[in-house]
Amino acid sequence: MKLLAKDTAIYGLSSIIGRFLNYLLVPLYTAKMAVQDGGYGVITNMYALTAFILVLLTFGMETTFFRFSTKEGENPGRVFSTALTGVTTVSTLFFLFVIAFLSPISSFLGYEATPQFVWVMALTVTLDAIRAVPFASLRQQKKALKFAALQLLNIAINILLNVIYYIGMDGHDPGYAFYINLVCSAVITLCLYREIAGIRHGFDPQLMRRMLVYSWPIALLGVAGVLNQVADKILFPFLYTGSDMQQQLGIYGASVKIAMIMAMITQAFRYAYEPFVFNSSKGESLSDKSSELRDSTSEDKSKVSQPSTLNPQPSTLNSQRVQALAMKYFVIFTLLAFLCVTGWMGVLQYIIPEGYRVGLKVVPIVMAAEIMMGVYFNLSFWYKLSDKTYWGAVFSGIGCAVLISVNAFFVPHFGYMACAWGGFAGYGVAMTLSFIVGQRLHPIAYPVRRILAYVLLAIVAWIVMCCLTSGLGLWASLVCNTLIIMAFAGVVAKKELKVF
């Protein structure tokens, strides 16, 4: 747990600093692009598209690389080289396809007047996909500092170029944000030349076939997962019938940025936790016999009952206990972050101009959805370690179908509020299904009652903050909310750290 906390802190620090600096771009973009111009709506839509395409181009090779590089009998260098060659080939073909059919693609997406937006972002996402496997290699080798340094360098260049154009040159064109992203992607890709040189180990067709068998459900899981995050922003232009479509999308996109602190936390946790679990389970392949393991534990002490016919390895039991503890601490930390963001909304709202603040009511909903997404990720390891990744595709697919259905039925009537609730419903369904099926096939003694108690306590604290501070001024509400947050933290410290 200390090792996991250390790596999460390193990834988290770079992510926190990076997201904070990126937050500075939100007031910059929204100040330079008025709501009525719809420029920030263009940025929101285009970034959602590229996030979706990036998952398609990497087709689950990051997680697949982790799994195969830790399997006994596999050559890690050959695994890396094969994965990188596959992703590079697919990404290059994608970019060539976009260039060949640039005009019809731009027209379909609604950018017939600005096709340069399309090809610039296509090239950017191609470079991002190519460097995904080298970044995964850094995480697998526990080179967290180099990983964090490159991420921060990317953000620093991005901020600098945006300041030069939008402030120094007093620019207003949203397209320059895309050009700047292309420059950043190119620079960071060049910085990974040592890792990319590992491609010299060659391409193994037989290995790639085995990797694809493992990765295709992961790819479907990733597609469904990213659709849960960006489908609303992609579908909104096709579903919303009002003439102010780009303006409404811009308001939603700007408001969601404030809620993305939760995505930052879950991403930092994921960066550290995924290689941590795979490395700690090196050489293991969980069999269906693990379904015979039943937990007869108390909330925090896992004592797995073992049938006399089954003799599980200590590392398996320890891995299960680590996953249970990590789940509890993850939920506690994200609930605390939820209360901090909602409690300090009176200050955080100034990140975006007044014209965009009407959308801030989506922030608690989106943050709650991100918490469920993090829980869902934590629950995913039972099928990743047992090589039954198709379960992830099933859960994410159902969740994505729920999200799209909510958007399709309610966006025409309720606008971007339906987008927020769609994500909440989609993640909630995927999380619930993964927990139910996982506990039947590969049970882990999660401290469910204690976790639910903390969730209920956080909900009560949030409701109290909303009721008590509705009529107070800014500073009075901040003081009141801070005391409530400290009370929540105090309860957690007493129960978990025994400090009182």
Side-chain angles (χ1 to χ4, degrees):
M1 294 306 298
K2 289 181 179 179
L3 176 63
L4 176 61
K6 178 182 74 70
D7 284 351
T8 302
I10 295 174
Y11 291 123
L13 180 61
S14 65
S15 187
I16 289 170
I17 296 174
R19 288 298 178 109
F20 175 74
L21 294 175
N22 260 330
Y23 278 155
L24 300 181
L25 292 179
V26 178
L28 178 61
Y29 288 153
T30 52
K32 293 293 183 177
M33 306 170 200
V35 174
Q36 59 271 21
D37 295 335
Y40 196 71
V42 172
I43 290 178
T44 299
N45 177 246
M46 188 61 76
Y47 283 169
L49 284 168
T50 54
F52 173 67
I53 294 170
L54 180 61
V55 173
L56 292 178
L57 296 183
T58 54
F59 53 96
M61 275 296 126
E62 291 173 279
T63 299
T64 303
F65 165 73
F66 288 133
R67 181 58 176 158
F68 277 75
S69 63
T70 56
K71 270 190 173 183
E72 288 191 10
E74 299 289 359
N75 183 330
R78 181 61 63 90
V79 171
F80 171 82
S81 181
T82 299
L84 179 58
T85 301
V87 172
T88 300
T89 301
V90 170
S91 301
T92 302
L93 291 175
F94 161 76
F95 178 67
L96 294 176
F97 175 82
V98 171
I99 293 299
F101 299 96
L102 181 60
S103 181
I105 292 174
S106 300
S107 298
F108 174 75
L109 296 176
Y111 297 106
E112 61 274 1
T114 53
Q116 66 273 19
F117 292 179
V118 176
W119 76 257
V120 168
M121 291 307 290
L123 180 55
T124 302
V125 76
T126 296
L127 294 175
D128 288 348
I130 291 173
R131 71 172 191 251
V133 176
F135 265 130
S137 179
L138 291 179
R139 292 162 56 199
Q140 196 269 340
Q141 297 176 56
K142 298 191 180 301
K143 295 183 179 180
L145 289 176
K146 182 173 182 178
F147 181 99
L150 290 177
Q151 296 285 40
L152 291 176
L153 176 62
N154 181 41
I155 295 296
I157 297 173
N158 196 5
I159 294 289
L160 177 62
L161 294 180
N162 272 283
V163 168
I164 290 174
Y165 174 73
Y166 288 104
I167 296 180
M169 301 173 62
D170 197 27
H172 297 80
D173 187 349
Y176 275 83
F178 307 143
Y179 299 132
I180 290 169
N181 266 289
L182 176 57
V183 172
C184 295
S185 293
V187 170
I188 301 304
T189 302
L190 289 174
C191 290
L192 287 165
Y193 73 94
R194 289 183 181 273
E195 285 71 26
I196 294 174
I199 202 170
R200 67 181 181 275
H201 290 285
F203 179 79
D204 187 337
Q206 296 287 344
L207 175 60
M208 175 54 77
R209 276 193 284 271
R210 288 189 285 115
M211 292 173 73
L212 288 174
V213 170
Y214 181 88
S215 73
W216 75 261
I218 295 291
L220 289 179
L221 188 157
V223 168
V226 77
L227 281 176
N228 280 333
Q229 291 182 313
V230 303
D232 50 358
K233 305 171 189 69
I234 295 174
L235 295 174
F236 194 84
F238 300 98
L239 297 174
Y240 187 72
T241 56
S243 58
D244 59 342
M245 182 274 295
Q246 291 289 5
Q247 293 92 322
Q248 291 296 305
L249 185 57
I251 291 172
Y252 178 60
S255 300
V256 166
K257 281 290 185 181
I258 296 178
M260 283 300 101
I261 188 172
M262 197 61 70
M264 168 198 71
I265 293 171
T266 56
Q267 183 185 57
F269 178 78
R270 175 177 178 265
Y271 281 157
Y273 195 49
E274 193 168 38
F276 176 83
V277 172
F278 278 112
N279 284 332
S280 66
S281 304
K282 189 172 184 178
E284 288 182 19
S285 182
L286 301 181
S287 68
D288 290 336
K289 287 186 178 181
S290 63
S291 63
E292 300 173 26
L293 290 171
R294 296 298 171 188
D295 216 285
S296 59
T297 99
S298 62
E299 285 299 318
D300 292 305
K301 295 183 178 179
S302 300
K303 298 178 181 178
V304 181
S305 60
Q306 304 174 25
S308 58
T309 57
L310 183 63
N311 185 24
Q313 295 296 321
S315 59
T316 301
L317 303 181
N318 183 63
S319 176
Q320 292 180 348
R321 176 165 170 75
V322 167
Q323 291 180 56
L325 288 173
M327 173 72 82
K328 181 177 67 173
Y329 294 130
F330 170 80
V331 173
I332 290 172
F333 193 68
T334 52
L335 289 175
L336 185 60
F338 174 88
L339 292 176
C340 289
V341 172
T342 54
W344 283 70
M345 188 61 66
V347 173
L348 294 175
Q349 66 176 336
Y350 292 104
I351 291 175
I352 57 179
E354 187 173 359
Y356 289 87
R357 293 175 198 162
V358 65
L360 291 177
K361 53 184 175 289
V362 306
V363 172
I365 304 170
V366 175
M367 292 188 73
E370 288 292 336
I371 293 176
M372 290 190 291
M373 189 277 286
V375 172
Y376 173 55
F377 171 78
N378 200 317
L379 293 169
S380 69
F381 285 97
W382 70 262
Y383 56 76
K384 290 179 180 178
L385 290 173
S386 60
D387 294 344
K388 296 180 179 179
T389 48
Y390 55 83
W391 280 111
V394 171
F395 302 145
S396 293
I398 294 174
C400 183
V402 171
L403 179 147
I404 292 175
S405 299
V406 171
N407 277 265
F409 283 111
F410 297 108
V411 164
H413 306 288
F414 300 101
Y416 56 75
M417 285 301 298
C419 296
W421 282 111
F424 183 92
Y427 279 133
V429 169
M431 176 189 70
T432 303
L433 289 175
S434 184
F435 177 76
I436 293 173
V437 176
Q439 290 302 93
R440 289 179 62 86
L441 299 181
H442 296 281
I444 294 177
Y446 294 113
V448 176
R449 285 181 299 198
R450 179 162 292 192
I451 289 174
L452 291 178
Y454 287 137
V455 171
L456 180 60
L457 180 62
I459 293 174
V460 171
W462 175 62
I463 293 174
V464 171
M465 286 195 299
C466 293
C467 294
L468 289 183
T469 62
S470 58
L472 299 178
L474 174 60
W475 293 108
S477 64
L478 289 179
V479 171
C480 183
N481 289 344
T482 300
L483 292 175
I484 294 172
I485 294 168
M486 291 175 63
F488 174 84
V491 172
V492 171
K494 181 178 180 180
K495 292 293 185 181
E496 302 300 327
L497 304 179
K498 312 297 183 183
V499 296
F500 301 116

